[in-house]
Amino acid sequence: MKRSKSGPARLAQPISWSRFAAIFLSSFAGGITLVYLFIVLVDPYDMLPFSLPFERPILSTAQRFTYPQIVRSRRFDSLIVGSSTARLVDPQQLNAPFGARFANLSMDAMTAWEQMELVQYFLRHVGPPKVLIVALDQRWCDSRADQTLTLHGFPHWMYDDNPWNDYLHLLNGAAATISVRIVGYQLGLARERIRYDGYRVFTPPESQYDLARVRRHLWGGGEPRRPPDVPPPALSTEERNALSFPALAWLESILERVSPTTLTVLADMPTHIAAQAWPGTQAAAGEAECKARMAALARKHHARLIDWRIVSPLTTNDENYWDPLHYRLPIAERLAHELAEAVLAQRPSVDGSYRIVVP
Amino acid sequence: MLFQSQLYVLLFLPVAVLLYYASAPFLALRQWVLIGASLIFYGWWDARFVVLPVAQIAATWIIALAHERSGRNAFLITGIVINLASLGTFKYLDFVLLSIESASGIALPRAHLVLPIGISFFSFQLISYLVDRMRGNAPIYPFRAFALFVLLYPHLIAGPIVRHNELIPQLALDPRRDGLGERLGTGLVIFTMGFAKKVLLADQLAQFVDPLFEKATSHALDFGEAWTAVLGFSFQLLLDFSAYTEMAIGSALLFGVLLPENFRRPYLATDIREFWRRWHISLSKFLRDYLYIPLGGSRYGAARYVLATLVTMGLCGLWHGAGWMFVAWGLWHGLGLVGCHAWQRLGRPLPALAGWGITMLFVLVGWVMFRAGDFATAGSMMVSLSGLAGIAGALQEKPLVLAAAFVSMLAPSAHELRDHMLTPRPAYAMVAALLAIFCVLEVGRGAPVNFIYFQF
């Protein structure tokens, strides 16, 4: 009696080329179809018109892809946008003092243009926010901000208002991975990566803090320097006119579109002095001009402007930072507290760590 | 359109193949289908560019026809000049103006023309046809077949450089002829091999190679960074270009056409002459037949040989890009070929391992010139590589560099795979299909990365 070969042995047997091509094509087409169907049914970014009805927590740290979902959930009536310099501000700390439901939608290396896109997305999908905090940083004063709109591949298709074109962008490894995680979450095998209000601590545990190492990051291996107490050099009218800050047009477009009922706060975040324009330099003069124009915009559109990006006990103390841009967790808690103090009570800083530029 | 895009793999290629086989019984129809597909493929970057290859093809064909009727070589020379003028205008005009400006100190305007993709490749193919006619080796082909010889999209953008007599007879064959299953099966596997090399290795290497070379333009790299950059680029370039070739050969096989070999594990070469028999083979053959041999080759003494080699390789460098660094790279290889030739005449062969080591070092130095962009950056990198500026730092991205080295050295070429290694077994088909699915998912993560050789 002829014995049939086992499965693995059959897979290694020579076959005709036609059959070989047919197996390849059917495996490829079948595999692609199955993966795609799995992704669109699971709907990893909670954005498709038709998908399986279950909870979709934030299971990816790719913020540009996950934050539209937070906006569309309509669970939040207020938001913070900014770069990683604002990510550590816990929205839950702001909810009670401001009487609002905050999401912190700040992203790593978020450009000014991306912040404008996100605010506009919020306005279209949720309406005017109760409180809008735009966390400013040095990118808003970049003279070439309009030449690099994004540093991380901004998914434009997620920020338009057409859910149908999203089907064209989901056949990829990232979407498949998140889909698997979502199924894992339903089975109790996976945990959310970012809290649903966008908050996530991205700095190392405080127990790992090493001041000597931090100082190397802050000062590039050189000696720590004390900033001189000098005003920025005066600029002539021609010099001032020659300065261009393209991102401020985007800032104005944000301010123009928010409702008069929105409490809008421009908060210049406290980067370490080593990351600020050094006092007394031409760069500091340019920075001062940029800040003056921001203040004018804030006044024109009835927004508040609070500036932490100054020479202060906060920004000159190396122990407050991990690196030139990122402060430590206790500083973030202090910032949230000071935000409420400065905006709601208009209380000046006790130690000069912030200035209320436009009350 | 890029071979490694989802648009190509999931839509364009299947539709083009289906239409081609649906029209297979009718020669004219299936050739028009392929011409149409090729124009869409080429025009996907910028539809305006379609005019250029079509115009050069039409002009070349009309000129060949005029030569056929009149017998006057002046027509052919005119055709060669037209094709060279097109190439020169789009690719070299600003380079020439800049060089004159640098030499004379007189400020000159720039044309700022956008380089039409693939112009170096299709211009060379047209020139080779005209030269072959001059030699009495090229008949007049019907316009449709002639146009398809140049436009056939798998090789249109970055080769392999194909000759009329290699391709046009194949285009007349019924794609359903005997061996259809084998052509489809091997084509799919070869395409997948290139797809994986491009997406999983070459593009991953680019992510650290590009920033390091960028950094080298303003800062001296340390020893580890310099070696990481140069080794990474050496593997990236081979994997990127051989991947393109494999996707081209794989795609063409699906249409029943076999394109020539372009790479045969060049980093296993034990001397520089062997390197050029393994690296960009279709270009090497073209330069040999249409430049080096007409210049005299090795038939007229040592001085003429050296001159022919240096001119050929200098122009080979210039073909790669409008810049003196490319010329320097070509001349470097020309000197290498001359030196290798002289050594081999001594009849004292080096041990294979020593020959391989010297050859690879020589090639690596060449890649520094090829990639660095300017002489200052190249010089700074040479200093870093030599350890004269210290030996700080370590090789970065070791797993990826090692994987790239392994594949670069040992992965078979498309023709080796097709002719000697691949046998039809279900397991192979499934593994290749899974690999292709993985690559489709990987490339869906972001915008596909252009092939390096598209800029040439």
Side-chain angles (χ1 to χ4, degrees), chain A residues 18 120 123 159-160 171 201 206 213 250 258 270 273 278 281 294 304 325:
Chain A
S18 300
Q120 289 179 354
L123 290 170
Y159 291 80
D160 63 17
L171 184 59
V201 176
E206 286 291 318
R213 191 165 173 223
W250 301 328
V258 292
I273 184 64
W278 197 251
T281 63
M294 282 178 176
R304 318 287 178 86
L325 294 181

Side-chain angles (χ1 to χ4, degrees), chain B residues 31 39 77 86 93 96 99 120 207 225 228 245 290 311 336 343 376 378 397-398 409 450 455:
Chain B
Q31 290 193 341
L39 291 174
I77 292 165
S86 171
L93 183 57
V96 171
S99 299
S120 307
Q207 289 181 16
E225 287 175 326
T228 304
T245 302
Y290 296 100
V311 169
W343 179 267
E397 306 287 344
K398 286 191 196 77
M409 302 281 189
N450 253 344
Q455 62 192 290

Side-chain angles (χ1 to χ4, degrees), chain A residues 10-18 20-21 23-25 27-28 31-32 35 39 65 168-169 171-174 176-177, chain B residues 6 9-10 181-182 184-186 188-189 192 422-430 432-433 436-437 440-442 444-445:
Chain A
R10 272 208 310 275
L11 289 176
Q13 284 297 306
I15 51 174
S16 74
W17 278 109
S18 300
F20 178 91
I23 290 172
F24 180 102
L25 290 171
S27 303
F28 178 74
I32 287 285
V35 171
I39 292 169
F65 289 80
L168 297 174
H169 299 274
L171 184 59
N172 61 68
T177 305
Chain B
Q6 289 186 353
V9 175
L10 300 179
E182 182 173 0
L184 293 178
T186 51
L188 291 166
V189 172
T192 302
L422 188 61
T423 51
R425 297 171 198 272
Y428 294 173
M430 285 186 216
I437 291 170
V440 166
L441 293 177
E442 182 62 28
R445 285 175 187 265

